[in-house]
Amino acid sequence: MYFHFFLLYRFLRRGRSWCYAGLTAAFLPAWSYLVFRIESAAGDSLASPSGSFISLLMLLLISTGIKYGIGGMRREIRLAELEGRQARTELALLKHQLNPHFVFNTLNNLYVLARRQNAIQTADGIARMARLMRYHFAMADSVRVELAREIEHLQ
């Protein structure tokens, strides 16, 4: 099995599948014959060359599947971590591009203009938008938000 993992690492992972296939095809019958001879010498009357070959082949297939399955799960976890890190980086970049102070000053100016023109609904909408954005800017870096604060925000 360790020799098989060596072949996997040395040839298959590096794109030389023909070398892997050739060496596996050469060594598997030899190893199965060796196992058969050891089983026969140990007094196993049921030992057969084909049984040893099938047993070794199944062992190699199962161990390869487990090895690649674990490797795939590790890659998925690493990918999810990288995606999370990328999302946090993009959010930080967006926050730096969109200066909150500038946005709130602009919203405040629009609010004052709307109040002067007696556009009460527009002014209220701008005030709500400012509160919404202030909340999101404040909570953007938080991993967790208190439930009471979230409910208050939704109301």
Side-chain angles (χ1 to χ4, degrees), residues 90-129:
E90 287 174 357
L91 178 63
L93 180 63
L94 181 62
K95 282 176 67 176
H96 287 291
Q97 287 177 348
L98 184 66
N99 186 342
H101 184 71
F102 170 76
V103 171
F104 294 129
N105 279 346
T106 304
L107 286 173
N108 192 36
N109 289 337
L110 290 172
Y111 174 78
V112 170
L113 287 172
R115 293 292 285 183
R116 283 186 186 163
Q117 296 174 359
N118 288 329
I120 303 300
Q121 289 179 334
T122 304
D124 288 344
I126 292 171
R128 281 192 216 121
M129 179 70 174

Side-chain angles (χ1 to χ4, degrees), residues 127-138:
R128 281 192 216 121
M129 179 70 174
R131 282 195 303 273
L132 175 72
M133 291 185 71
R134 192 169 282 116
Y135 176 80
H136 282 288
F137 275 119

Side-chain angles (χ1 to χ4, degrees), residues 25-151:
F27 280 106
L28 188 60
W31 279 104
S32 62
Y33 182 73
L34 180 65
V35 168
F36 164 70
R37 295 294 294 174
I38 291 171
E39 288 173 346
S40 297
D44 187 359
S45 61
L46 298 176
S48 69
S50 63
S52 297
F53 180 81
I54 291 172
S55 297
L56 279 176
L57 182 63
M58 293 302 291
L59 176 69
L60 293 181
L61 290 174
I62 290 170
S63 63
T64 303
I66 290 171
K67 182 166 180 63
Y68 277 101
I70 290 172
M73 286 188 290
R74 286 182 181 156
R75 276 190 298 280
E76 288 293 322
I77 291 170
R78 234 179 291 133
L79 180 63
E81 289 172 354
L82 285 173
E83 287 174 349
R85 205 174 307 152
Q86 181 182 2
R88 287 190 299 274
T89 303
E90 287 174 357
L91 178 63
L93 180 63
L94 181 62
K95 282 176 67 176
H96 287 291
Q97 287 177 348
L98 184 66
N99 186 342
H101 184 71
F102 170 76
V103 171
F104 294 129
N105 279 346
T106 304
L107 286 173
N108 192 36
N109 289 337
L110 290 172
Y111 174 78
V112 170
L113 287 172
R115 293 292 285 183
R116 283 186 186 163
Q117 296 174 359
N118 288 329
I120 303 300
Q121 289 179 334
T122 304
D124 288 344
I126 292 171
R128 281 192 216 121
M129 179 70 174
R131 282 195 303 273
L132 175 72
M133 291 185 71
R134 192 169 282 116
Y135 176 80
H136 282 288
F137 275 119
M139 294 295 118
D141 292 331
S142 301
V143 176
R144 293 185 178 155
V145 178
E146 292 178 15
L147 182 61
R149 193 164 189 187
E150 192 72 17
I151 290 171

